[in-house]
Amino acid sequence: PCGSNGSHRITSRDLKEERMFRIKASYSEQLELRTTIERAREFFSEFRNFVDLMPGIESIRKEAGGIMRWMVRAEVPVIGAVHASFAVEKTEDRPERLEWSPARSEVKNYLRYAAAFEERGHKVLVRIAQHVELRRSHGRDLHTLAGLIGEGAISAEMQKRVSEMIKTFLERAQAKLEAEPDCEQQAV
């Protein structure tokens, strides 16, 4: 009988997920900041800083159940502007690490953002990681030409845009954090 040997039955859901059109981009970076670990953590947990300092972040708003919705716009050659809405929830909140992951209800637009903090004398090492994934049943659900251009080419362009966005944000974050010395540091 079918499945009696303990093998996994392939369902239509498995096939559908396998055939999804996926655009992916990831970025990770670390930087040392002349600030305190408390100020660094506070800065990277305040969503207003992302809206103010990261190009392409149009808004971040709080929704019911602890969900934060990021509205993002990225220019991708050939396709043009890609607008996406990412529902995330906080999945880790420790003094040395913050993480937001896709909301359990999310099925199309995935965003994972993590920031880790390590004290290093009078500096703080901040490690940032971000992963973005857009999933659609068909490429045309993203853009009329997406199926022709292909996942790989669009992902490569999206990777460039995400990298530019986060690099710009981190440069601005460093300038802002290091330009406003903390009272504790002034006393040192």
Side-chain angles (χ1 to χ4, degrees):
C2 183
S4 64
N5 64 1
S7 65
H8 174 71
R9 284 187 69 189
I10 297 175
T11 65
S12 60
R13 184 172 184 252
D14 292 333
L15 291 174
K16 185 176 182 181
E17 185 144 323
E18 200 173 286
R19 288 186 298 219
M20 282 278 197
F21 188 85
R22 297 173 192 228
I23 305 301
K24 299 177 185 180
S26 293
Y27 185 85
S28 62
E29 181 71 69
Q30 65 181 31
L31 69 155
E32 273 195 346
L33 300 172
R34 288 186 314 270
T35 190
T36 64
I37 197 164
E38 294 82 11
R39 286 189 69 237
R41 187 184 190 289
E42 180 182 328
F43 182 89
F44 287 97
S45 66
E46 175 54 56
F47 287 117
R48 185 79 232 159
N49 291 323
F50 291 88
V51 175
D52 292 345
L53 303 176
M54 187 182 292
I57 304 295
E58 295 180 336
S59 67
I60 301 174
R61 70 175 189 267
K62 190 173 187 170
E63 297 182 351
I67 305 275
M68 300 299 286
R69 183 158 309 270
W70 293 48
M71 303 300 289
V72 180
R73 178 180 188 267
E75 288 292 329
V76 178
V78 181
I79 290 181
V82 174
H83 293 268
S85 168
F86 298 91
V88 298
E89 56 193 350
K90 193 176 280 185
T91 52
E92 196 167 347
D93 189 2
R94 294 183 290 135
E96 71 280 0
R97 185 174 165 82
L98 298 167
E99 184 171 325
W100 289 269
S101 300
R104 290 178 289 261
S105 59
E106 187 57 67
V107 294
K108 291 170 67 174
N109 299 330
Y110 296 87
L111 171 68
R112 180 176 312 278
Y113 163 75
F117 312 96
E118 179 184 324
E119 217 158 3
R120 291 201 168 168
H122 295 292
K123 293 184 178 185
V124 176
L125 179 67
V126 180
R127 290 185 184 95
I128 299 289
Q130 187 161 332
H131 178 76
V132 176
E133 184 174 331
L134 305 177
R135 294 181 182 180
R136 301 296 185 271
S137 295
H138 305 281
R140 68 179 174 269
D141 297 338
L142 185 65
H143 186 276
T144 311
L145 299 175
L148 294 172
I149 297 167
E151 292 175 348
I154 298 171
S155 288
E157 289 301 324
M158 186 67 81
Q159 179 67 49
K160 288 179 191 173
R161 298 306 168 259
V162 167
S163 295
E164 289 169 4
M165 290 167 66
I166 298 173
K167 281 181 184 176
T168 299
F169 170 71
L170 293 176
E171 288 168 4
R172 292 173 177 174
Q174 184 169 19
K176 185 169 181 159
L177 279 165
E178 292 183 349
E180 300 171 1
D182 189 69
C183 295
E184 291 176 65
Q185 285 189 314
Q186 289 177 353
V188 172

